[in-house]
Amino acid sequence: MRDEDDDRKLHIGSTYLRLLSYVRPYMGRVLLVLFVSVLSALLSTLPAQVIGTAVDELQIRETHGQDEEHLSEESKPEGVKKPRRASAIPIARPIRHAASVVHGRWFSQSSESVVTFAVLAIVFFGLHALGTLSKVIHQILMAYVGQGLIYNMRSEVYGHLQSLSLSYFENQRTGDVMSRVVNDVNSLQQVVVGPVVGLITDMFRLAWVFYFCITWDWKLTLMALCIGPLLISCTYVFGKFLRKNFRELRKRVGDLNAITNDNISGIRIIKGFSREEHERERFDEKNSGVYQQNLKLARMFAVFRPITGWMTNAGSAVVLFYGGYKVINGEMSPGMFVVFFPYVGMLYGPIRGLTRFWNFIQRAIASVERVFEVLDTTPDIQDSPDAVELDDIRGKVEFRGVCFSYDNGSEVLTDIDLDVAPGQMIAFVGPSGAGKTTLTNLIFRFYDPIKGAILVDGHNIRQVKVRSLRRHMAMVLQDPFLFNDTVRANISYGKLGAIDDAIVAAAKAANAHEFIEELPEKYDTVVGERGVKLSGGQKQRLSIARAILANPRILILDEATSSVDTETESLIQDAIYRLVENRTTFIIAHRLSTILHADLIVVVEGGRIIETGKHEELLAQGNLYSRLFEMQFRDPSGRL
């Protein structure tokens, strides 16, 4: 158990140091913050000394009935002594000197007592004004550092997500990934930069106060601090519980975001099946988990904070008793006692600040671990050190003994051998789950085969830079995806920065220009999330226009006409004919009528190629392709 605890401490320390490395670009501002913190810490200790000086001045005036400076040693009443420790307050001497100068030069006709208290009031107000100014500067600088930390880390996390392989997103819930990028990163500014600088400020304040107190009365100072070790021990134990519970909270928030994302994305299905109440119950279950976890944390804080407050009050009670005793015996001036009492709170403040800092650390680690889990995920697909840039290609594709399996270990493709000449149209046919989509995913190098190789123009795609490979490819999916942006932006996604004439030409080639011109804002119409404002056929034609504008050498079509009406199918099919011209095209075919003129039909079953040939050749063989064709085209009377 001891080793596990040591490992956990080491892990927390290394994680936090790694997190603080993100502050490095702002080190100049951080140093300025620290300077302001030192100044602010000193300024926060001085007003109490002004009050103490005022109390001693009042005692002197009450004791002598007149200004102390006007009394000679001979005229002082016998037995009356100046308080022994009054002069020990550091700020008292310069204030008295300033009051004496002001009185002598400008207000000699006024009472010196009035002048002294006027100076005390001005100094008191001035110190608070300077303290307020330092806090304002501190907060502004902290905002720059904190928001910069969030910006940099969120950009890094999002950029890293873009580099991760498709398999990562297939194994993650969208809502949980969003929670890590938004919620967890956002919480870091609140629990990292501020607490660190706050702790440093507290330590400087502790140094100032401890110096003053130990100089004035070391015995009373040590008595006041006797409760400190117990307070620190209590904080350590509490912090261990906090980290575990904050991590559980982050997990439950991720679950809540995930189910919310699913519900919003599937709202049509939910309403279509009248499952609103069912989804409400599912959401309430996750929401209740977040609610209960927050309540658990609130109960922990509700118990812990009063306990630490009680401990600090115990130290103050010691000062109240022993300090009062020393004042009665003439060992300490009333002004010194007035200063010492709030200073005890300042001594315990940094210790309580340390407890807050430790609590913040636990909260930060719970969030930052989830963020670092993303950053530490290695992409399955990466450029090899000797990867080459793939410039212009002809479009020749070869499969050489390709085998593939997903993470579950079951083999999806086995011994795939296929040669595709530039400009050919290849159709993949077969039952669901045969491996057709996996074949096209391998061409894009969304995954790597576990055995064999895929070559493009003679280059093994493992030895080619991924971005340069995909730059020559495009896809049109059965369920087209559109961004919640304008028509123009969705088409130009195929070629960023394309001029308007090229966008319009691509839309016309995709038979989309006519319906676009009828939209409220034409090409500037926002299509809604996933193109919800458009029909299925309209979305498909925009995706074809996007592919046309990209001008790829290799094209993947996942049955682009399977879910549209006959008239729209004709428009889409016409656009596809223009799209595939002079391009190497792979079609995942569900409707066999769309591939009758393919250069090569590849029949896949159980992850193996079992037939290849043209339409007429495969029909004549009377095997799986022939049976599939017969099932699709036989009419109810049994005739073809």
Side-chain angles (χ1 to χ4, degrees), residues 168-421:
Y168 174 82
F169 298 96
E170 292 174 341
N171 295 322
Q172 300 292 325
R173 297 168 301 172
T174 302
D176 187 57
V177 175
M178 291 172 57
S179 179
R180 295 173 190 241
V181 175
V182 179
N183 296 344
D184 289 329
V185 172
N186 199 54
S187 67
L188 299 181
Q189 188 264 348
Q190 303 169 13
V191 298
V192 178
V193 181
V196 170
V197 177
L199 176 68
I200 294 172
T201 304
D202 282 344
M203 292 302 104
F204 282 129
R205 184 179 295 111
L206 175 62
W208 286 117
V209 172
F210 185 76
Y211 168 75
F212 290 137
C213 288
I214 207 75
T215 301
W216 298 335
D217 195 318
W218 64 270
K219 291 182 181 179
L220 186 57
T221 302
L222 294 181
M223 290 179 65
L225 289 174
C226 65
I227 205 72
L230 180 61
L231 187 61
I232 293 174
S233 300
C234 181
T235 299
Y236 173 76
V237 174
F238 180 68
K240 292 178 67 174
F241 289 102
L242 268 187
R243 184 188 174 205
K244 180 178 68 174
N245 282 278
F246 270 120
R247 184 166 181 84
E248 178 64 21
L249 176 62
R250 294 301 177 195
K251 179 181 177 299
R252 294 191 181 190
V253 170
D255 292 342
L256 185 65
N257 286 340
I259 196 172
T260 303
N261 181 76
D262 284 346
N263 289 350
I264 293 174
S265 299
I267 192 66
R268 288 178 180 271
I269 300 299
I270 293 171
K271 290 188 174 296
F273 284 89
S274 298
R275 292 293 184 265
E276 292 91 344
E277 191 60 33
H278 171 70
E279 293 301 327
R280 175 70 178 271
E281 291 174 358
R282 290 180 63 212
F283 180 86
D284 283 347
E285 179 183 355
K286 300 298 183 184
N287 194 27
S288 176
V290 175
Y291 167 75
Q292 295 296 337
Q293 191 64 22
N294 273 314
L295 279 184
K296 185 176 181 180
L297 284 165
R299 288 194 295 267
M300 293 173 68
F301 279 111
V303 172
F304 175 72
R305 285 170 176 163
I307 289 176
T308 57
W310 173 81
M311 291 180 181
T312 57
N313 288 334
S316 298
V318 170
V319 173
L320 183 62
F321 169 74
Y322 187 59
Y325 172 81
K326 298 190 78 169
V327 171
I328 293 172
N329 286 345
E331 299 176 29
M332 176 183 285
S333 73
M336 179 63 69
F337 176 77
V338 168
V339 177
F340 210 105
F341 195 76
Y343 270 18
V344 173
M346 292 184 185
L347 284 173
Y348 280 118
I351 297 177
R352 297 184 70 176
L354 183 62
T355 69
R356 289 193 300 271
F357 176 72
W358 180 247
N359 297 340
F360 281 135
I361 288 291
Q362 304 308 311
R363 188 182 306 180
I365 295 301
S367 293
V368 80
E369 283 178 342
R370 285 168 47 85
V371 175
F372 284 162
E373 282 174 4
V374 176
L375 292 174
D376 291 339
T377 302
T378 304
D380 296 332
I381 306 300
Q382 300 186 67
D383 290 336
S384 62
D386 57 346
V388 299
E389 191 80 18
L390 193 61
D391 296 324
D392 294 337
I393 66 171
R394 296 167 54 240
K396 179 178 175 61
V397 180
E398 302 167 73
F399 287 79
R400 300 286 176 83
V402 171
C403 300
F404 178 76
S405 64
Y406 289 103
D407 292 338
N408 58 18
S410 59
E411 198 163 80
V412 179
L413 297 174
T414 305
D415 295 329
I416 301 296
D417 288 293
L418 185 66
D419 287 341
V420 180

Side-chain angles (χ1 to χ4, degrees), residues 531-548:
V532 68
K533 297 180 181 179
L534 304 178
S535 68
Q538 289 172 333
K539 289 191 289 185
Q540 194 62 278
R541 279 177 278 173
L542 287 188
S543 69
I544 293 173
R546 180 168 59 197
I548 290 173

Side-chain angles (χ1 to χ4, degrees), residues 51-204:
I51 298 298
T53 302
V55 170
D56 281 341
E57 288 296 318
L58 287 173
Q59 188 210 21
I60 291 171
R61 306 312 182 218
E62 181 181 359
T63 301
H64 301 300
Q66 54 183 311
D67 295 339
E68 182 186 305
E69 289 75 0
H70 295 167
L71 292 173
S72 63
E73 290 296 325
E74 294 76 13
S75 63
K76 285 183 181 180
E78 186 178 353
V80 175
K81 299 179 180 179
K82 180 181 177 182
R84 292 178 55 190
R85 304 295 297 270
S87 61
I89 300 178
I91 206 170
R93 189 180 296 272
I95 287 179
R96 285 175 173 168
H97 178 71
S100 177
V101 171
V102 170
H103 178 264
R105 291 188 179 182
W106 296 290
F107 298 99
S108 57
Q109 301 302 317
S110 302
S111 168
E112 186 171 356
S113 297
V114 174
V115 173
T116 299
F117 276 91
V119 171
L120 283 168
I122 292 172
V123 171
F124 182 82
F125 179 79
L127 289 172
H128 276 291
L130 289 174
T132 301
L133 179 61
S134 68
K135 290 179 181 178
V136 170
I137 296 173
H138 179 274
Q139 291 298 319
I140 292 175
L141 291 172
M142 285 296 299
Y144 275 104
V145 175
Q147 292 302 320
L149 171 67
I150 288 181
Y151 174 82
N152 288 342
M153 177 162 278
R154 184 173 289 138
S155 294
E156 182 175 350
V157 173
Y158 187 79
H160 188 71
L161 281 173
Q162 299 299 310
S163 73
L164 293 179
S165 307
L166 193 61
S167 59
Y168 174 82
F169 298 96
E170 292 174 341
N171 295 322
Q172 300 292 325
R173 297 168 301 172
T174 302
D176 187 57
V177 175
M178 291 172 57
S179 179
R180 295 173 190 241
V181 175
V182 179
N183 296 344
D184 289 329
V185 172
N186 199 54
S187 67
L188 299 181
Q189 188 264 348
Q190 303 169 13
V191 298
V192 178
V193 181
V196 170
V197 177
L199 176 68
I200 294 172
T201 304
D202 282 344
M203 292 302 104
F204 282 129

Side-chain angles (χ1 to χ4, degrees), residues 346-624:
M346 292 184 185
L347 284 173
Y348 280 118
I351 297 177
R352 297 184 70 176
L354 183 62
T355 69
R356 289 193 300 271
F357 176 72
W358 180 247
N359 297 340
F360 281 135
I361 288 291
Q362 304 308 311
R363 188 182 306 180
I365 295 301
S367 293
V368 80
E369 283 178 342
R370 285 168 47 85
V371 175
F372 284 162
E373 282 174 4
V374 176
L375 292 174
D376 291 339
T377 302
T378 304
D380 296 332
I381 306 300
Q382 300 186 67
D383 290 336
S384 62
D386 57 346
V388 299
E389 191 80 18
L390 193 61
D391 296 324
D392 294 337
I393 66 171
R394 296 167 54 240
K396 179 178 175 61
V397 180
E398 302 167 73
F399 287 79
R400 300 286 176 83
V402 171
C403 300
F404 178 76
S405 64
Y406 289 103
D407 292 338
N408 58 18
S410 59
E411 198 163 80
V412 179
L413 297 174
T414 305
D415 295 329
I416 301 296
D417 288 293
L418 185 66
D419 287 341
V420 180
Q424 278 192 319
M425 178 188 292
I426 309 300
F428 292 126
V429 176
S432 297
K436 304 184 296 295
T437 300
T438 302
L439 278 167
T440 59
N441 285 337
L442 291 177
I443 297 171
F444 265 88
R445 209 190 166 200
F446 290 148
Y447 309 96
D448 278 333
I450 60 173
K451 181 181 176 183
I454 300 173
L455 285 71
V456 172
D457 281 11
H459 296 280
N460 187 331
I461 62 175
R462 284 178 179 265
Q463 306 302 319
V464 172
K465 292 184 178 179
V466 175
R467 295 187 65 179
S468 71
L469 171 70
R470 294 173 185 167
R471 190 169 58 237
H472 300 291
M473 299 180 176
M475 61 173 63
V476 178
L477 302 176
Q478 181 179 0
D479 181 19
F481 181 88
L482 297 180
F483 296 94
N484 187 16
D485 208 333
T486 64
V487 170
R488 186 190 315 279
N490 274 284
I491 296 177
S492 64
Y493 205 80
K495 185 179 181 181
L496 297 178
I499 62 174
D500 287 349
D501 288 347
I503 294 172
V504 171
K508 288 180 177 179
N511 290 327
H513 179 71
E514 184 176 346
F515 86 78
I516 293 174
E517 286 295 310
E518 295 176 356
L519 295 175
E521 303 294 330
K522 297 182 171 49
Y523 282 83
D524 292 319
T525 301
V526 176
V527 301
E529 188 172 354
R530 301 181 68 91
V532 68
K533 297 180 181 179
L534 304 178
S535 68
Q538 289 172 333
K539 289 191 289 185
Q540 194 62 278
R541 279 177 278 173
L542 287 188
S543 69
I544 293 173
R546 180 168 59 197
I548 290 173
L549 188 62
N551 192 28
R553 294 305 306 153
I554 298 174
L555 179 67
I556 307 292
L557 297 177
D558 185 354
E559 193 53 86
T561 62
S562 62
S563 57
V564 296
D565 58 74
T566 304
E567 181 180 355
T568 303
E569 179 182 2
S570 176
L571 291 171
I572 293 175
Q573 200 64 53
D574 181 59
I576 288 176
Y577 289 147
R578 287 192 284 271
L579 174 62
V580 302
E581 188 176 359
N582 298 321
R583 293 184 172 92
T584 303
T585 306
F586 295 90
I587 300 177
I588 299 175
H590 302 286
R591 291 186 182 181
L592 301 186
S593 60
T594 62
I595 60 165
L596 300 181
H597 303 292
D599 296 302
L600 184 67
I601 297 173
V602 179
V603 183
V604 184
E605 184 179 34
R608 296 178 180 272
I609 295 177
I610 60 172
E611 296 180 81
T612 59
K614 290 182 176 293
H615 172 68
E616 294 80 5
E617 297 171 353
L618 295 177
L619 279 183
Q621 292 175 11
N623 295 320
L624 178 59

